[in-house]
Amino acid sequence: MQAFTTLNGLVAPLDRANVDTDAIIPKQFLKSIKRTGYGPYLFDEWRYEDVGQPGMDCTNRPLRQAFVLNQSRYQGAEILLARENFGCGSSREHAPWALLDYGFRCVIAPSFADIFYNNCFKNGILPVILGNEAMDVLFAETVANEAYHLSVDLYAQTISTPSGAVFSFDIDSFRKHCLLNGLDDIGLTLQQADEIHAFELKRREAAPWQFSNG
């Protein structure tokens, strides 16, 4: 998993509450268990006029021009602003996979659905919770200013705006450690690889019949 330390990224404002995981990545794209390839289908029903299908070439699909991610000023955004209860609905891990594959490394919202929030940390995305007043400021400044960037510092747990305002956020210390060091569940387990190997050798010596091919 890619570590997250600091990020200075272009911001895209998705001014909607209760964005569920079926909107983030619709159900027809859940047939694959690969973690990549979902970016072109992120918010598929909102981005395109037609119905997307797995493996479809999105290059010439008709776009809904009013949708925020189709606007040229937000191309290449790495930070997504959203409203309350982002990521609600089903527990599909494909939702953070799609956001990450599109290019988002950070999502900022007043609240997140619990499972989606946990899945973000396990996939290298930083979900930041800020109050509604702070969110209103960020939405207004993003819309008012072309090429609006925010600086996100996970070490300091701060978000800085171009005007110099700084917003602090809370994060669980263990999740922070894992994200700073790029450790998902597999990475955490592999940190104990020597101990695991030693246990396996000891067990093989103590109960060799359990490892016999015959």
Side-chain angles (χ1 to χ4, degrees):
M1 183 179 80
Q2 184 179 357
F4 187 111
T5 54
T6 61
L7 172 67
N8 184 273
L10 179 67
V11 184
L14 183 63
D15 200 355
R16 305 188 189 205
N18 302 309
V19 174
D20 62 38
T21 53
D22 191 52
I24 297 172
I25 185 71
K27 59 186 179 302
Q28 65 267 31
F29 300 107
L30 307 188
K31 297 176 182 179
S32 173
I33 59 172
K34 295 179 180 179
R35 294 180 177 226
T36 59
Y38 300 100
Y41 312 114
L42 177 68
F43 300 121
D44 194 86
E45 294 179 2
W46 295 346
R47 285 171 70 188
Y48 304 104
E49 296 283 358
D50 59 355
V51 178
Q53 297 297 334
M56 177 182 287
D57 183 359
C58 296
T59 305
N60 296 311
R61 291 179 64 190
L63 300 175
R64 298 184 187 273
Q65 297 297 337
F67 185 60
V68 60
L69 296 189
N70 291 334
Q71 298 175 28
S72 60
R73 63 181 291 188
Y74 300 122
Q75 298 305 301
E78 295 179 279
I79 300 171
L80 182 68
L81 303 183
R83 294 294 186 179
E84 295 86 354
N85 201 28
F86 188 81
C88 58
S90 70
S91 60
R92 63 191 69 173
E93 196 170 5
H94 298 69
W97 293 352
L99 288 162
L100 188 64
D101 196 65
Y102 181 86
F104 287 117
R105 295 298 317 280
C106 178
V107 182
I108 308 173
S111 60
F112 295 89
D114 288 343
I115 295 176
F116 174 83
Y117 186 75
N118 292 332
N119 283 340
C120 282
F121 286 104
K122 294 177 183 294
N123 289 281
I125 295 175
L126 173 62
V128 173
I129 298 175
L130 291 182
N132 284 314
E133 290 186 6
M135 293 304 305
D136 288 343
V137 170
L138 295 181
F139 270 106
E141 291 189 358
T142 300
V143 173
N145 298 279
E146 194 91 12
Y148 186 78
H149 283 62
L150 289 173
S151 293
V152 183
D153 188 331
L154 181 54
Y155 289 108
Q157 297 177 209
T158 58
I159 294 174
S160 304
T161 73
S163 64
V166 178
F167 300 98
S168 298
F169 60 90
D170 294 326
I171 184 173
D172 174 80
S173 59
F174 177 71
R175 286 171 169 159
K176 178 179 179 179
H177 167 78
C178 291
L179 202 49
L180 285 172
N181 292 281
L183 296 171
D184 56 13
D185 289 345
I186 295 175
L188 284 167
T189 301
L190 290 177
Q191 287 189 314
Q192 310 301 321
D194 290 343
E195 290 84 352
I196 293 170
H197 182 62
F199 173 83
E200 290 174 340
L201 290 177
K202 187 176 181 180
R203 183 62 183 168
R204 185 180 291 272
E205 292 174 357
W209 63 87
Q210 292 183 351
F211 300 88
S212 173
N213 293 328

